[in-house]
Amino acid sequence: MSGHSKWSTIKHKKGAADARRGKLFSKLSRAIMVAAKEGGADPGSNLALQNAIEKARSYSMPKDNIDRAIAKGSGEGSDSEAFETVVYEGYGPEGVAVIVEALTDNRNRTASDVRHAFTKHGGSLGATGAVAWQFERRGVVIVQADGVDGDELFLAAADGGADDVERDGSVFQVTSAPESLAAVRGAIEGAGFTAESAELMMVPKNTVAVDDEAKAKQVMRLIDTLEDNDDVQEVFANFDIPEQVLEAVAG
């Protein structure tokens, strides 16, 4: 997965520093509201809510905002009733597989926007199941590798229930079962390491190499366009772009 974890880090920093932070927090709140509405307000018994909170924490969303979203989602007459989860699958440039997860109150609008993004940036929207088989849902914690002993990180992560720790360029990617994400992050931070991010992700089983910078830019323009949509919560892809190319694209 060379370069893929690095892009997660770049994307996370862009989001955290985004001048439109209100938009980011709105997406995070929406995910918390819907999770609380569907599974209850207790993160201990609601895995979806637990993971939505973990992601919000990764972006330094204030606790008061998180609590308000939980209360709103679990209350009567919540706005979360208007939203439904929709997943789109397709292919981007170079045959890169893409999964788009959205929360929308207008399925037709969102489908049209997502289809337009794929078409505009050299991809194509596929049918349900077209690419999902190429991914598996995992808990992923990203830790900057600079100054970090990989063996010590592995021991700490294993104590929390992690399955694997893999170095990917300048970061370590710690993977676990979805239900272990919060425990793994807690174990890592409890051992003195800093978690760059902690999220549920659709991790690709195999990747598509995109070494050409022009092609990489085309792939990332598609990803950026999709992520910028108000209804889109997550975008996952199986590209393998060298770290130096990713840095150039991000710049």
Side-chain angles (χ1 to χ4, degrees):
M1 282 187 67
S2 176
H4 201 272
S5 299
K6 180 62 177 177
W7 177 254
S8 296
T9 304
I10 293 171
K11 181 175 69 172
H12 190 271
K13 288 179 178 177
K14 285 171 63 181
D18 198 334
R20 298 168 298 169
R21 175 169 288 189
K23 179 177 179 179
L24 172 65
F25 283 178
S26 176
K27 288 190 176 188
L28 296 170
S29 293
R30 184 185 298 184
I32 292 171
M33 286 167 52
V34 172
K37 182 68 178 181
E38 293 179 350
D42 179 14
S45 59
N46 183 346
L47 180 60
L49 177 59
Q50 182 183 109
N51 289 320
I53 292 171
E54 282 299 306
K55 181 174 181 179
R57 287 180 57 208
S58 286
Y59 285 97
S60 301
M61 186 171 174
K63 185 177 183 298
D64 286 348
N65 293 42
I66 294 174
D67 291 342
R68 279 197 300 271
I70 294 173
K72 193 170 186 179
S74 57
E76 291 297 325
S78 166
D79 291 342
S80 63
E81 289 180 347
F83 295 108
E84 61 177 320
T85 301
V86 186
V87 179
Y88 303 95
E89 303 176 39
Y91 286 97
E94 302 297 283
V96 170
V98 182
I99 294 179
V100 182
E101 297 181 351
L103 286 174
T104 180
D105 57 355
N106 187 325
R107 182 186 286 258
N108 291 336
R109 178 195 66 225
T110 306
S112 177
D113 289 346
V114 170
R115 183 178 294 105
H116 177 72
F118 272 95
T119 302
K120 181 179 179 181
H121 297 290
S124 60
L125 190 61
T128 300
V131 305
W133 58 274
Q134 300 183 55
F135 297 80
E136 58 182 343
R137 191 170 292 279
R138 307 288 286 158
V140 178
V141 180
I142 301 296
V143 177
Q144 288 290 335
D146 187 33
V148 171
D149 185 301
D151 291 335
E152 291 182 4
L153 176 61
F154 178 84
L155 291 174
D159 283 343
D163 296 328
D164 190 30
V165 176
E166 178 183 358
R167 182 154 185 169
D168 186 359
S170 61
V171 300
F172 284 104
Q173 176 175 281
V174 183
T175 55
S176 70
E179 61 270 18
S180 300
L181 177 61
V184 169
R185 175 180 180 158
I188 287 172
E189 293 182 334
F193 300 102
T194 299
E196 185 80 15
S197 63
E199 301 180 35
L200 273 189
M201 296 184 179
M202 294 293 284
V203 177
K205 299 175 184 177
N206 298 290
T207 56
V208 174
V210 185
D211 298 323
D212 180 76
E213 186 172 326
K215 295 294 186 181
K217 285 182 177 180
Q218 191 177 17
V219 170
M220 298 322 304
R221 277 195 291 267
L222 169 60
I223 303 298
D224 285 344
T225 300
L226 290 167
E227 288 180 337
D228 198 47
N229 185 284
D230 289 343
D231 297 331
V232 172
Q233 291 286 312
E234 301 281 3
V235 180
F236 305 106
N238 70 341
F239 59 78
D240 179 357
I241 298 176
E243 189 168 333
Q244 65 272 19
V245 177
L246 274 177
E247 292 284 3
V249 171

